Amino acid sequence: MASIFTKIINREIPANIVAEDDNFIAFLDINPNAKGHTLCVPKKEVNKIFDLDEETYNGLMTFSRKVALALRKTIPCERIGMSVIGLEVPHVHVHLIPLNRMADIQFKKKISLTNEEFEEVAKAISENL
Ligand code: AMP
């Protein structure tokens, strides 16, 4: 069965997309640790990051860096944190999270955004790419 992220890639379910090319997509995390929390995902559906072929792995890092630089321009923060977990969604993704304190990278503290705020932040990041 297609992962929830493949459904986003195929536009079967909605997401706040901030960047996309032939091989990768970036969209806002639906349950963010911080405003601007973004997921970078290879379109190829693979469960675990270190099972990616080397070209896709390196491409994901390059794509994530590009998105992280746009995120840093958009969201005032100390730095952009990067994390790979994958315990909830078995389709490789890199979390990019604007950080001001250690707690921001812990997946306990969540923030609420309205639909308008999600749309606004996705647009602002994509304009800074
Ligand atoms: P993990 O697999 O543990 O790295 O976590 C999966 C992440 O995907 C969580 O931070 C979720 O909030 C996020 N997530 C799950 N479903 C969606 C969705 N439909 N759109 C955006 N983010 C999602």
Side-chain angles (χ1 to χ4, degrees):
M1 202 180 86
S3 78
I4 193 143
F5 293 165
T6 294
K7 289 182 180 165
I8 288 173
I9 292 160
N10 293 338
R11 307 303 199 266
E12 291 166 32
I13 61 168
N16 294 104
I17 295 170
V18 305
E20 183 171 24
D21 65 17
D22 287 347
N23 299 312
F24 305 98
I25 190 167
F27 49 85
L28 296 181
D29 193 297
I30 205 170
N31 188 20
N33 291 27
K35 193 171 188 179
H37 182 166
T38 299
L39 304 176
C40 297
V41 183
K43 291 186 176 178
K44 190 181 287 185
E45 189 176 324
V46 171
N47 181 352
K48 298 178 181 176
I49 191 163
F50 298 120
D51 289 335
L52 286 175
D53 62 81
E54 197 170 331
E55 188 184 346
T56 307
Y57 177 85
N58 290 335
L60 177 62
M61 291 303 130
T62 300
F63 180 82
S64 299
R65 177 174 181 273
K66 188 175 164 192
V67 175
L69 294 177
L71 191 49
R72 193 170 72 179
K73 271 196 217 161
T74 312
I75 306 287
C77 60
E78 191 67 34
R79 61 178 56 221
I80 304 298
M82 181 168 148
S83 175
V84 175
I85 304 171
L87 288 170
E88 184 185 323
V89 178
H91 181 157
V92 174
H93 50 284
V94 169
H95 293 260
L96 298 176
I97 305 172
L99 302 180
N100 289 301
R101 56 194 73 79
M102 189 62 91
D104 296 335
I105 198 80
Q106 291 164 6
F107 286 74
K108 290 177 189 159
K109 182 181 150 260
K110 297 291 180 175
I111 61 153
S112 298
L113 296 177
T114 62
N115 284 344
E116 290 71 29
E117 287 171 315
F118 271 113
E119 282 165 20
E120 197 182 296
V121 73
K123 184 166 177 282
I125 298 165
S126 65
E127 286 173 354
N128 276 324
L129 282 167

